[in-house]
Amino acid sequence: MGCGRSRLVSRATALSDLPPEPRASSGAHRWSALARPSPRSAWIPLVYWLIVLLEGAVWGAMRLGDAMVIPTLLAYGARWIWLVPVVALAPLALWRRSLGLPLAVALAVWLLGIMQFQLPHFAVAPACCRVTVVTLNGNKDARPESFRQVVDAAQPDIVAMQEWEQTSIASALPGWTVQCDGELCLGSRRPMSKVAVLSVPKPNGSRAMVMTAEITTEAGPVAFFSIHLDTVRKGIEPMLHAGFGATDELRENLVFRDRESRAAAAWIVAHSAHPAVVAGDFNMPTDSAIYRRNWSNWSDAFESAGTGLGHTKFTSLWGIRIDHVLFDANWQAVRARVGPDVGSDHRPLIVTLQRAASAVRGN
């Protein structure tokens, strides 16, 4: 018994001489648990890149707007809503820096692609022969006195007007030379000549779609066109009431508007004997399939010299840029901006052009 007891005592003494095992603090234990990637956290980067793919798919689909039913509904709907998934995941990027890249890519696709945001452009070197143009769809609600203030501030040479009551134009443009055909008008500070109109038949008559005139300016004679194309709303509104049972009406609208746009573009080219400018309500954004098919040979003033979203048409929930000033190779855009609210659901688009250096040398 004495021998066995002595062995136990010596073993206990040996164990007590060993250094104590290090014990992790509770804080360090929590940190190590967070540092270990869990199955859920491993999915987070994948979700972010899926958001990038979603934004890219929506952008691509919108470029099929005015060609297919669903893309058309996307293109003319609230584009800002596609920011929601980006914003919803943004806080996680503060936790993991690696998520910053897909977040930035998704935001760029939304802003520059889906929203068509225009970054600032390089300033155009000043040259001779400038012309300022204002276009506005008055929607019969524009306040003439408010529009006159815009005109007095911008000092345009030419004004394109759509959906205006002719009785209100005299007070909006006092002392101007104005030509109208129905609700489509063209005004100039100087006399105009060779006025012509392209009309489309309607059940109760016809509607002026394009009006042109030759206007003599400091830049020389200008072939100017005021345009008002038909709206996609006539195809979308039946779907709001009847759902997808009314898709045939939207398809018919797309076919009609493409044919109308093609006819207008061809007529304008045939009447462009001088450097040409086209201004008005195209009722489509520049990423529309119809627009790209029929108007891509022209330069868009806001995309050339504007900054921001440039929305010219507003609903209660969103805006869209469907009013444009286009110009041929004889011009370059100097400035383009959207004016203030004057009572219409459209805003004035104010653009300054100057003759391109090559065109001036050619003269």
Side-chain angles (χ1 to χ4, degrees):
M1 290 292 294
C3 182
R5 183 175 181 181
S6 63
R7 284 198 297 269
L8 289 173
V9 170
S10 61
R11 186 177 299 171
T13 303
L15 289 174
S16 65
D17 292 339
L18 293 174
E21 293 184 2
R23 297 180 61 188
S25 65
S26 59
H29 178 72
R30 294 193 199 97
W31 175 254
S32 63
L34 288 174
R36 289 195 300 270
S38 67
R40 290 184 179 179
S41 65
W43 281 96
I44 292 176
L46 177 60
V47 172
Y48 265 69
W49 286 109
L50 287 177
I51 293 299
V52 173
L53 292 177
L54 172 65
E55 299 294 325
V58 171
W59 180 24
M62 286 183 175
R63 292 179 63 81
L64 295 174
D66 283 335
M68 302 172 66
V69 171
I70 298 299
T72 299
L73 299 177
L74 292 176
Y76 290 94
R79 297 187 175 207
W80 59 263
I81 201 170
W82 298 103
L83 179 62
V84 172
V86 181
V87 172
L89 294 179
L92 292 177
L94 300 175
W95 173 52
R96 296 181 62 168
R97 293 183 178 179
S98 61
L99 300 178
L101 176 60
L103 179 67
V105 173
L107 183 61
V109 173
W110 173 81
L111 185 64
L112 302 178
I114 295 174
M115 296 301 296
Q116 294 190 294
F117 186 92
Q118 295 296 313
L119 297 173
H121 298 80
F122 291 109
V124 175
C128 74
C129 315
R130 291 193 171 186
V131 171
T132 297
V133 174
V134 173
T135 180
L136 173 66
N137 183 324
N139 198 28
K140 302 180 183 179
D141 292 323
R143 298 182 297 269
E145 64 279 3
S146 298
F147 185 62
R148 187 176 66 248
Q149 293 174 6
V150 172
V151 171
D152 290 342
Q155 290 295 300
D157 302 280
I158 311 171
V159 170
M161 309 170 77
Q162 310 88 41
E163 291 194 68
W164 274 79
E165 297 285 356
Q166 294 188 27
T167 55
S168 64
I169 292 178
S171 56
L173 300 174
W176 284 55
T177 300
V178 178
Q179 291 283 343
C180 292
D181 188 309
E183 298 174 352
L184 184 65
C185 299
L186 193 160
S188 169
R189 292 185 182 275
R190 304 184 183 188
M192 62 181 75
S193 60
K194 300 181 180 178
V195 177
V197 177
L198 173 64
S199 298
V200 292
K202 294 181 64 176
N204 55 349
S206 63
R207 178 182 69 84
M209 181 169 59
V210 186
M211 172 179 284
T212 184
E214 181 181 307
I215 302 174
T216 302
T217 69
E218 293 181 357
V222 176
F224 188 83
F225 301 85
S226 177
I227 188 170
H228 186 198
L229 299 177
D230 210 354
T231 175
V232 71
R233 190 174 62 250
K234 296 178 181 178
I236 292 179
E237 286 181 346
M239 294 190 65
L240 298 179
H241 301 288
F244 284 93
T247 54
D248 287 344
E249 295 185 50
L250 178 54
R251 290 192 181 96
E252 291 175 2
N253 173 271
L254 301 183
V255 172
F256 172 80
R257 289 172 52 243
D258 182 51
R259 185 167 59 245
E260 179 189 60
S261 198
R262 185 166 60 250
W267 190 85
I268 287 171
V269 170
H271 287 75
S272 297
H274 302 288
V277 179
V278 186
D281 182 4
F282 286 72
N283 265 313
M284 66 186 86
T286 56
D287 57 2
S288 154
I290 293 177
Y291 181 96
R292 289 183 286 112
R293 186 157 48 239
N294 296 289
W295 302 101
S296 59
N297 291 333
W298 298 79
S299 297
D300 179 271
F302 195 87
E303 292 187 348
S304 301
T307 301
L309 297 173
H311 290 161
T312 59
K313 169 71 168 68
F314 291 86
T315 70
S316 58
L317 295 176
W318 69 87
I320 189 170
R321 179 164 24 106
I322 60 174
D323 301 87
H324 309 290
V325 174
L326 308 185
F327 54 93
D328 64 15
N330 293 289
W331 303 94
Q332 59 183 160
V334 179
R335 286 185 298 272
R337 63 184 178 88
V338 178
D341 181 7
V342 296
S344 171
D345 58 351
H346 290 248
R347 301 289 187 270
L349 179 60
I350 306 165
V351 170
T352 297
L353 305 173
Q354 70 182 20
R355 291 292 298 275
S358 59
V360 173
R361 287 195 298 268
N363 288 340

